[in-house]
Amino acid sequence: MAAPSPGPREVLAPSPEAGCRAATSTSGRRGLLWRLRDKQTRLGLFEIGPGHELHQLTCMMQTGLWAATQVSMDHPPTGPPTEEDFSEVLTQVHEGFELGTLAGPAFAWLRQSLGLAEEDYQAALGPGGPYLQFLSTSKSKASFFLSHDQRFFLKTQRRREVRALLAHLPRYVQHLQRHPHSLLARLLGVHSLRVARGKKEFFIIMLSVFYPSGRISERYDIKGCEVSRWVEPAPEGSPLVLVLKDLNFQGKTIDLGPQRSWLLHQMELDTAFLRELNVLDYSLLMAFQRLHEDERGPGSSLIFRTVRSVRGVQSPEEPGSQNRRLLPDSPNALHILDGPEQRYFLGLVDLATVYGLRKRLEHLWKTLRYPGRTFSTVSPARYARRLCQWVEAHTQ
């Protein structure tokens, strides 16, 4: 592979021609990536323009990601990632901050395998337009951002979560090769950001499940349990964008028609993989969009869209049984599934929580606090089985 040499490297990064310069005065900004307003109780999208408390920080992210992507453009992958590619760490030094790229060649190959042009990736994440702040009701302390075109999702991660993601990355890549239209979120990059001499903060980049979002009417985050799984809906006519949860979905059904069997099978494949990784607490993101008349029935794109069709790779373990489906001819189509009347955006996200001692103790505590109720912190086997049962019970 024509890529930078493996192992930690530090280089002076080039600057984008149309970049926004990072601030050199950084006192009081350590850990800013994680500090959002405490009083925000609803989820929405806010442009991070000049004057926004996170503007200088996101300028650093944009400048750093532009330079990081330039490395993969100058050294494009020529084959599947090697062991060295998965372990490479590249640190680029900018004015006032450093941006690290972890397993850069491996992610460059993954982006290439998805048909994502590096030029488009660089343009969306670089300084061409402001990021959008994504405020969430999640109990996580993570911060969330979207690229200006809303195609790419950025989320801060704890160090231990990043370690888990990178440890699982080779198997994750293998799973996507074997099941190219998996429901798993498409992870596109893992980075660190250090402002001046502060501590490193980490963030990931992935394809947004909810894209294109223009006609989406409802959004849900499903875990298959009931404790803390209700969100107060926005008032009628409110412009706020809310992601609702399990209890909000009561009485609703996902109508997939002949696509239902595909979804159930793929859920089994993907949750079995996550169970093998000893992972839990992931979510099934889901959104609804009513199909236009010309998108439904005979002659619709669902039947005749063959250009973007993805054929699964058959494996010795699954002779003749590999899942296959037609994909809509639109960006991020891997997360889109059409039923008779509705288009559904679906994706499994938050894949970095390992069932270790911390989660086992949390399970014990919740068992005592919520007797007879279902909650998220259970064994990976039970978690996978329960989420699959939820999908089976709520689809037709």
Side-chain angles (χ1 to χ4, degrees), residues 183 208-212 259 262 289 291 302 305 325-339 342-347:
L183 293 164
S208 173
V209 174
F210 300 152
Y211 182 87
Q259 298 287 334
W262 178 88
Q289 178 190 97
L291 292 172
L302 176 63
R305 274 187 310 245
R325 71 182 178 100
L326 293 178
L327 299 179
D329 187 16
S330 63
N332 299 20
L334 289 164
H335 292 303
I336 294 174
L337 189 63
D338 284 354
Q342 297 264 15
R343 168 164 290 174
Y344 299 94
F345 297 74
L346 299 161

Side-chain angles (χ1 to χ4, degrees), residues 232-246:
E232 191 65 31
E236 186 174 353
S238 170
L240 292 172
V241 179
L242 289 177
V243 176
L244 305 175
K245 297 184 179 180
D246 300 63

Side-chain angles (χ1 to χ4, degrees), residues 307-326:
V307 175
R308 290 289 305 279
S309 180
V310 176
R311 299 183 64 84
V313 180
Q314 297 216 356
S315 68
E317 295 81 4
E318 299 174 320
S321 64
Q322 171 63 44
N323 229 6
R324 303 179 181 187
R325 71 182 178 100
L326 293 178

Side-chain angles (χ1 to χ4, degrees), residues 46-338:
F46 302 88
E47 184 174 295
I48 305 177
H52 191 287
E53 61 177 337
L54 298 176
H55 180 248
Q56 292 177 326
L57 180 67
T58 55
C59 281
M60 296 178 196
M61 296 171 69
Q62 290 180 311
T63 300
L65 290 174
W66 187 95
T69 308
Q70 190 63 46
V71 173
S72 60
M73 292 169 63
D74 294 339
H75 304 275
T78 57
T82 65
E83 183 177 346
E84 291 77 15
D85 293 332
F86 285 112
S87 61
E88 178 176 296
V89 178
L90 174 67
T91 301
Q92 294 175 296
V93 181
H94 299 262
E95 183 180 349
F97 73 98
E98 299 173 356
L99 188 114
T101 300
L102 290 71
F107 283 114
W109 181 86
L110 184 56
R111 295 193 295 268
Q112 183 185 80
S113 72
L114 294 173
L116 177 58
E118 291 293 87
E119 292 82 359
D120 294 341
Y121 186 69
Q122 184 185 57
L125 293 169
Y131 284 171
L132 303 175
Q133 186 181 15
F134 197 72
L135 299 180
S136 173
T137 55
S138 168
K139 292 184 177 180
S140 166
K141 293 182 180 180
S143 299
F144 306 86
F145 304 97
L146 283 169
S147 59
H148 63 86
D149 60 0
Q150 300 188 40
R151 187 177 180 186
F152 302 107
F153 187 81
L154 301 91
K155 179 185 177 183
T156 62
Q157 298 273 203
R158 297 182 179 92
R159 184 183 294 268
R160 68 172 179 271
E161 295 170 332
V162 167
R163 283 199 297 261
L165 284 174
L166 294 176
H168 297 154
L169 187 58
R171 294 181 66 183
Y172 169 84
V173 170
Q174 290 174 358
H175 182 78
L176 295 186
Q177 285 182 279
R178 178 171 294 177
H179 307 290
H181 25 147
S182 163
L183 293 164
L184 298 182
R186 294 312 193 270
L187 189 61
L188 304 177
V190 175
H191 299 273
S192 65
L193 179 67
R194 172 187 259 166
V195 179
R197 295 185 179 182
K199 69 175 183 178
K200 285 184 179 180
E201 313 286 16
F202 295 89
F203 65 95
I204 64 171
I205 304 170
M206 67 183 200
L207 282 177
S208 173
V209 174
F210 300 152
Y211 182 87
S213 62
R215 290 161 47 203
I216 289 178
S217 58
E218 300 174 63
R219 297 167 173 83
Y220 293 90
D221 177 310
I222 301 297
K223 291 184 182 288
C225 58
E226 58 179 335
V227 173
S228 301
R229 302 305 297 165
W230 167 264
V231 172
E232 191 65 31
E236 186 174 353
S238 170
L240 292 172
V241 179
L242 289 177
V243 176
L244 305 175
K245 297 184 179 180
D246 300 63
L247 296 181
N248 300 97
F249 199 80
Q250 289 182 343
K252 298 179 183 290
T253 303
I254 305 166
D255 184 8
L256 292 171
Q259 298 287 334
R260 180 175 183 265
S261 60
W262 178 88
L263 177 62
L264 296 180
H265 182 48
Q266 193 62 52
M267 280 292 299
E268 292 285 350
L269 291 171
D270 290 331
T271 57
F273 169 70
L274 295 174
R275 184 179 68 238
E276 292 172 3
L277 297 183
N278 201 34
V279 167
L280 74 158
D281 218 20
Y282 44 90
S283 296
L284 175 65
L285 287 188
M286 180 172 55
F288 294 0
Q289 178 190 97
R290 178 162 289 280
L291 292 172
H292 288 317
E293 189 65 34
D294 61 358
E295 296 173 318
R296 291 184 270 138
S300 74
S301 53
L302 176 63
I303 296 176
F304 292 101
R305 274 187 310 245
T306 58
V307 175
R308 290 289 305 279
S309 180
V310 176
R311 299 183 64 84
V313 180
Q314 297 216 356
S315 68
E317 295 81 4
E318 299 174 320
S321 64
Q322 171 63 44
N323 229 6
R324 303 179 181 187
R325 71 182 178 100
L326 293 178
L327 299 179
D329 187 16
S330 63
N332 299 20
L334 289 164
H335 292 303
I336 294 174
L337 189 63
D338 284 354

